[in-house]
Amino acid sequence: MLDSQGFEYVPGMTLMDYRRHIRARFPWFADLLRFEWPHDPGRIERLSVLSNEFETDDGDGRGESYRRAQRDPMVRLVGISKLFCLAAGVESLDAIPPEWRLLDVLGGDGTLAKTFDSLRPGRGSTVITGDLAGNMITEALRAGLPAVRQQAQRLLLRDEVLDAVLVAYGSHHIPVEDRMDVCQEAYRVLRPNGRLVFHDFAEESRVAYWFSEVVDRYSRNGHEYPHFAPDQLRKHLDNAGFNVVDLDYVYDPFVVSAATPDAARRKMGRYLFDMYGLVGLAADGASEDETADRVWRLASDCFAYDYREIASARPEWKTEPTLRFDDRAGEYRAEVPRLALVAVGHKLSDRDSGNP
């Protein structure tokens, strides 16, 4: 969108156009937004610079391949479902009340919102998609989702209007110097008794190893982003004002299904190739199947776990990428295990926190 300086807020839509669209389509959401854009002429232009990686596949980007991978939101169903339950403080998605409101800060084109809606059809509650990339927000709006383009450390929402905030699937992309601001902004927009769920793959974890040894080496733009250590994550939430911080590990695998073992394995390989933009693996003229097989082998080398030191580990958590026949689905299932570090911060009311 174009502001007074001529810059687009999202592709093809000015800030005024966006305001009109949100007011007409989601009047309740328009009431949560603060449209007073800060007096900073370069602000919207900088959004485009900062979000370049996820805008297109040109230059340093991987936007199109990333959106292609996101078309099947069920691939991450296990982890996504758990994050929503943690955000609502419930054991089952069915227990989330219809008036519940969550902001997915790093929401891309709305993958988590679509997953949530598919799991709770017609039951109310809303996931708001936020993202830095204009093309991502455009796709979310086209899908009929409430969405806002903003920086994670400068949310365009009013104070104390949300029940939950989720920062997940890309939190290591947040610059180190801005991470405290992200937690403080989440605290600001949460109602009393609201929750922040902050998800990352811990420094020195198997997923961090995948990023450093595969994504950084074979993606177009590399991947030199520091992940979080457990003590750092807890400290950020503590310092932001959250009264209670729970820190634990969440099983967050990739799962795909197909008619044969080869098809399932290659489907997973193609998914990982698109998800992380691993264009360097196809640069030698290998076929699509050969490339998918190579990605699967790299995943098998990277994602190997020993859960003996994790008290919350469960027997169904896989210790390495697996291929097996799913009797219930009648298909072969490829699963790549990932263990995520998740902190849950509670913004208690004055009464619950003991303040007068």
Side-chain angles (χ1 to χ4, degrees), residues 194-234:
R195 290 177 168 225
L196 166 64
V197 174
F198 205 113
H199 164 291
D200 190 35
F201 298 100
E203 196 68 59
E204 300 184 0
S205 68
R206 301 309 300 176
V207 182
Y209 181 74
W210 163 263
F211 277 119
S212 65
E213 296 302 310
V214 178
V215 181
D216 188 53
R217 183 176 300 178
Y218 296 111
S219 66
R220 182 178 287 116
N221 55 305
H223 196 277
E224 296 183 359
Y225 300 101
H227 292 259
F228 287 81
D231 58 338
Q232 293 173 330
L233 191 50
R234 182 186 292 277

Coordinates of all heavy atoms in Angstrom, one line a residue, residues 194-234:
G194 N -3.8 -12.9 30.3 CA -3.4 -13.4 29.0 C -2.1 -14.1 29.0 O -1.4 -14.1 30.0
R195 N -1.8 -14.8 27.9 CA -0.6 -15.6 27.8 C 0.2 -15.3 26.5 O -0.3 -15.1 25.5 CB -1.0 -17.1 27.7 CG -1.5 -17.6 29.0 CD -1.9 -19.1 28.9 NE -2.2 -19.7 30.2 CZ -1.8 -20.9 30.6 NH1 -1.1 -21.6 29.7 NH2 -2.1 -21.3 31.7
L196 N 1.5 -15.3 26.7 CA 2.5 -15.3 25.6 C 3.1 -16.6 25.5 O 3.6 -17.2 26.4 CB 3.6 -14.2 25.8 CG 4.8 -14.3 24.9 CD1 4.5 -14.1 23.5 CD2 5.9 -13.4 25.4
V197 N 3.0 -17.2 24.3 CA 3.7 -18.5 24.0 C 4.9 -18.1 23.0 O 4.6 -17.7 21.9 CB 2.8 -19.5 23.4 CG1 3.6 -20.8 22.9 CG2 1.7 -19.9 24.4
F198 N 6.1 -18.4 23.4 CA 7.3 -18.1 22.7 C 8.0 -19.4 22.3 O 8.5 -20.1 23.2 CB 8.2 -17.1 23.5 CG 9.1 -16.3 22.6 CD1 8.9 -14.9 22.6 CD2 10.1 -16.8 21.8 CE1 9.7 -14.1 21.8 CE2 10.9 -16.0 21.1 CZ 10.7 -14.7 21.1
H199 N 8.1 -19.6 21.0 CA 8.6 -20.9 20.5 C 9.8 -20.7 19.7 O 9.9 -19.8 18.8 CB 7.5 -21.5 19.6 CG 7.8 -22.6 18.7 ND1 8.6 -22.4 17.6 CD2 7.4 -23.9 18.7 CE1 8.7 -23.6 16.9 NE2 8.0 -24.5 17.6
D200 N 10.9 -21.5 19.9 CA 12.1 -21.5 19.1 C 12.7 -22.9 19.2 O 12.3 -23.7 20.0 CB 13.1 -20.4 19.5 CG 14.2 -20.2 18.5 OD1 13.9 -20.4 17.3 OD2 15.3 -20.0 18.9
F201 N 13.7 -23.1 18.3 CA 14.4 -24.3 18.4 C 15.8 -24.0 19.0 O 16.5 -23.2 18.4 CB 14.6 -24.9 17.0 CG 13.3 -25.3 16.4 CD1 12.7 -24.5 15.5 CD2 12.6 -26.5 16.8 CE1 11.4 -24.8 14.9 CE2 11.4 -26.8 16.3 CZ 10.8 -26.0 15.3
A202 N 16.0 -24.5 20.2 CA 17.1 -24.0 21.0 C 18.5 -24.0 20.4 O 18.8 -24.9 19.5 CB 17.2 -24.8 22.3
E203 N 19.3 -23.1 20.8 CA 20.7 -23.1 20.4 C 21.4 -24.4 20.7 O 21.1 -25.0 21.7 CB 21.4 -21.9 21.1 CG 22.8 -21.6 20.5 CD 22.6 -20.9 19.2 OE1 21.9 -19.8 19.1 OE2 23.2 -21.4 18.2
E204 N 22.1 -24.9 19.7 CA 22.8 -26.2 19.8 C 21.9 -27.4 19.8 O 22.3 -28.5 20.1 CB 23.7 -26.2 21.1 CG 24.8 -25.2 21.1 CD 25.7 -25.3 22.3 OE1 25.5 -26.2 23.1 OE2 26.6 -24.4 22.4
S205 N 20.6 -27.2 19.4 CA 19.7 -28.3 19.2 C 19.9 -29.0 17.9 O 20.7 -28.5 17.0 CB 18.3 -27.8 19.4 OG 17.9 -27.0 18.3
R206 N 19.2 -30.1 17.6 CA 19.3 -30.7 16.3 C 18.7 -29.9 15.2 O 19.2 -29.9 14.1 CB 18.6 -32.1 16.4 CG 19.1 -33.1 17.4 CD 20.6 -33.2 17.3 NE 21.1 -33.7 16.0 CZ 22.3 -33.9 15.7 NH1 23.3 -33.5 16.5 NH2 22.6 -34.4 14.5
V207 N 17.7 -29.1 15.5 CA 17.1 -28.2 14.5 C 18.1 -27.1 14.2 O 18.3 -26.7 13.0 CB 15.7 -27.7 14.9 CG1 15.2 -26.8 13.8 CG2 14.8 -28.8 15.2
A208 N 18.7 -26.5 15.2 CA 19.7 -25.5 15.0 C 20.9 -26.1 14.1 O 21.4 -25.4 13.3 CB 20.3 -25.0 16.3
Y209 N 21.2 -27.3 14.4 CA 22.3 -28.0 13.5 C 21.8 -28.1 12.1 O 22.6 -27.8 11.1 CB 22.5 -29.4 14.1 CG 23.6 -30.2 13.4 CD1 24.9 -29.8 13.5 CD2 23.2 -31.2 12.6 CE1 25.9 -30.6 12.8 CE2 24.2 -32.0 11.9 CZ 25.5 -31.6 12.0 OH 26.5 -32.3 11.3
W210 N 20.5 -28.4 11.9 CA 20.0 -28.5 10.5 C 20.1 -27.1 9.8 O 20.5 -27.0 8.7 CB 18.5 -28.9 10.6 CG 17.7 -28.6 9.4 CD1 16.8 -27.6 9.2 CD2 17.5 -29.4 8.2 NE1 16.2 -27.6 8.0 CE2 16.6 -28.8 7.3 CE3 18.1 -30.6 7.8 CZ2 16.3 -29.3 6.1 CZ3 17.8 -31.1 6.5 CH2 16.8 -30.5 5.7
F211 N 19.8 -26.0 10.6 CA 19.9 -24.7 10.0 C 21.3 -24.4 9.6 O 21.6 -23.8 8.6 CB 19.3 -23.7 11.0 CG 17.8 -23.5 10.9 CD1 17.0 -23.8 12.0 CD2 17.2 -23.1 9.8 CE1 15.7 -23.7 12.0 CE2 15.8 -23.0 9.7 CZ 15.0 -23.3 10.8
S212 N 22.2 -24.7 10.5 CA 23.6 -24.3 10.3 C 24.3 -25.1 9.2 O 25.1 -24.6 8.4 CB 24.4 -24.3 11.6 OG 24.5 -25.7 12.1
E213 N 24.0 -26.5 9.2 CA 24.7 -27.4 8.3 C 24.0 -27.5 6.9 O 24.7 -27.9 6.0 CB 24.9 -28.7 9.0 CG 25.7 -28.7 10.2 CD 27.1 -28.1 9.9 OE1 27.7 -28.7 8.9 OE2 27.6 -27.2 10.6
V214 N 22.7 -27.3 6.9 CA 22.0 -27.5 5.6 C 21.4 -26.2 5.1 O 21.7 -25.8 4.0 CB 20.8 -28.6 5.8 CG1 20.0 -28.7 4.5 CG2 21.4 -29.9 6.3
V215 N 20.6 -25.5 5.9 CA 19.9 -24.3 5.4 C 20.9 -23.2 5.1 O 20.8 -22.6 4.0 CB 18.8 -23.9 6.4 CG1 18.1 -22.6 5.9 CG2 17.8 -25.0 6.7
D216 N 21.8 -23.0 6.0 CA 22.8 -22.0 5.7 C 23.7 -22.3 4.5 O 24.1 -21.4 3.8 CB 23.7 -21.8 7.0 CG 24.6 -20.6 6.9 OD1 24.1 -19.5 6.6 OD2 25.8 -20.8 7.0
R217 N 23.9 -23.5 4.3 CA 24.8 -23.9 3.2 C 24.1 -24.0 1.8 O 24.7 -23.6 0.8 CB 25.4 -25.3 3.5 CG 26.4 -25.8 2.5 CD 27.0 -27.2 2.9 NE 27.7 -27.1 4.2 CZ 28.3 -28.1 4.8 NH1 28.2 -29.3 4.2 NH2 28.9 -27.9 5.9
Y218 N 22.8 -24.4 1.8 CA 22.2 -24.6 0.5 C 21.1 -23.7 0.1 O 20.6 -23.7 -1.0 CB 21.6 -26.1 0.5 CG 22.7 -27.1 0.6 CD1 22.8 -27.9 1.7 CD2 23.6 -27.3 -0.4 CE1 23.8 -28.9 1.9 CE2 24.6 -28.3 -0.3 CZ 24.7 -29.1 0.8 OH 25.7 -30.0 0.9
S219 N 20.6 -22.8 1.1 CA 19.6 -21.8 0.7 C 20.3 -20.6 0.0 O 21.5 -20.4 0.2 CB 18.8 -21.4 1.9 OG 19.7 -20.7 2.8
R220 N 19.5 -19.9 -0.7 CA 20.1 -18.8 -1.5 C 20.6 -17.7 -0.6 O 21.6 -17.0 -0.9 CB 19.0 -18.2 -2.4 CG 19.4 -17.1 -3.3 CD 18.3 -16.6 -4.2 NE 18.0 -17.5 -5.3 CZ 16.8 -18.2 -5.4 NH1 15.9 -18.0 -4.5 NH2 16.6 -19.0 -6.4
N221 N 20.0 -17.4 0.5 CA 20.4 -16.3 1.4 C 21.1 -16.7 2.7 O 21.4 -15.9 3.5 CB 19.1 -15.4 1.7 CG 18.1 -16.3 2.4 OD1 17.6 -17.3 1.8 ND2 17.6 -15.9 3.6
G222 N 21.4 -18.0 2.8 CA 22.0 -18.4 4.1 C 21.1 -18.4 5.3 O 19.9 -18.1 5.2
H223 N 21.7 -18.7 6.4 CA 20.8 -18.7 7.6 C 21.7 -18.5 8.8 O 21.9 -19.3 9.7 CB 20.1 -20.0 7.7 CG 18.9 -19.9 8.7 ND1 19.1 -20.1 10.1 CD2 17.6 -19.7 8.5 CE1 17.9 -19.9 10.7 NE2 17.0 -19.7 9.7
E224 N 22.2 -17.3 9.0 CA 23.1 -16.9 10.1 C 22.2 -16.1 11.1 O 22.4 -14.9 11.3 CB 24.3 -16.1 9.6 CG 25.2 -16.9 8.7 CD 26.4 -16.1 8.3 OE1 26.5 -14.9 8.7 OE2 27.3 -16.6 7.6
Y225 N 21.3 -16.9 11.8 CA 20.5 -16.3 12.8 C 20.7 -17.0 14.1 O 20.5 -18.3 14.1 CB 19.0 -16.4 12.4 CG 18.7 -15.6 11.1 CD1 18.5 -16.4 9.9 CD2 18.5 -14.3 11.1 CE1 18.2 -15.7 8.7 CE2 18.2 -13.6 9.9 CZ 18.0 -14.3 8.7 OH 17.7 -13.7 7.6
P226 N 21.0 -16.3 15.2 CA 21.2 -17.0 16.5 C 19.9 -17.5 17.1 O 18.9 -16.7 17.1 CB 21.9 -16.0 17.4 CG 21.4 -14.7 16.8 CD 21.3 -14.9 15.3
H227 N 19.8 -18.7 17.5 CA 18.7 -19.2 18.2 C 18.7 -18.9 19.7 O 19.7 -18.2 20.2 CB 18.6 -20.8 18.0 CG 18.3 -21.2 16.6 ND1 17.1 -21.6 16.2 CD2 19.1 -21.2 15.5 CE1 17.1 -21.8 14.9 NE2 18.3 -21.7 14.5
F228 N 17.7 -19.3 20.5 CA 17.6 -18.9 21.9 C 18.2 -20.0 22.7 O 18.0 -21.2 22.4 CB 16.1 -18.7 22.3 CG 15.6 -17.4 21.8 CD1 15.1 -17.3 20.4 CD2 15.5 -16.3 22.6 CE1 14.5 -16.2 20.0 CE2 14.9 -15.1 22.1 CZ 14.4 -15.1 20.8
A229 N 18.8 -19.7 23.8 CA 19.1 -20.6 24.9 C 18.0 -20.5 25.9 O 17.4 -19.5 26.1 CB 20.5 -20.2 25.5
P230 N 17.7 -21.6 26.6 CA 16.6 -21.6 27.6 C 16.7 -20.5 28.6 O 15.7 -19.8 28.9 CB 16.8 -23.0 28.3 CG 17.4 -23.8 27.3 CD 18.3 -23.0 26.5
D231 N 17.9 -20.2 29.2 CA 18.0 -19.1 30.2 C 17.7 -17.8 29.6 O 17.2 -16.9 30.2 CB 19.3 -19.2 30.9 CG 20.5 -19.1 29.9 OD1 20.3 -19.3 28.7 OD2 21.6 -18.7 30.4
Q232 N 18.1 -17.6 28.3 CA 17.9 -16.3 27.6 C 16.4 -16.1 27.5 O 15.9 -15.0 27.7 CB 18.6 -16.3 26.3 CG 20.1 -16.3 26.3 CD 20.7 -16.4 24.9 OE1 20.1 -17.0 24.0 NE2 21.8 -15.9 24.7
L233 N 15.7 -17.1 27.0 CA 14.2 -17.0 26.8 C 13.5 -16.7 28.1 O 12.6 -15.8 28.1 CB 13.7 -18.3 26.1 CG 12.3 -18.3 25.6 CD1 12.1 -17.1 24.6 CD2 12.1 -19.6 24.8
R234 N 13.8 -17.4 29.1 CA 13.2 -17.1 30.4 C 13.5 -15.7 30.9 O 12.5 -15.0 31.4 CB 13.6 -18.2 31.4 CG 13.0 -18.0 32.8 CD 13.6 -18.9 33.8 NE 13.3 -20.3 33.6 CZ 12.1 -20.9 33.9 NH1 11.2 -20.2 34.5 NH2 11.9 -22.2 33.6

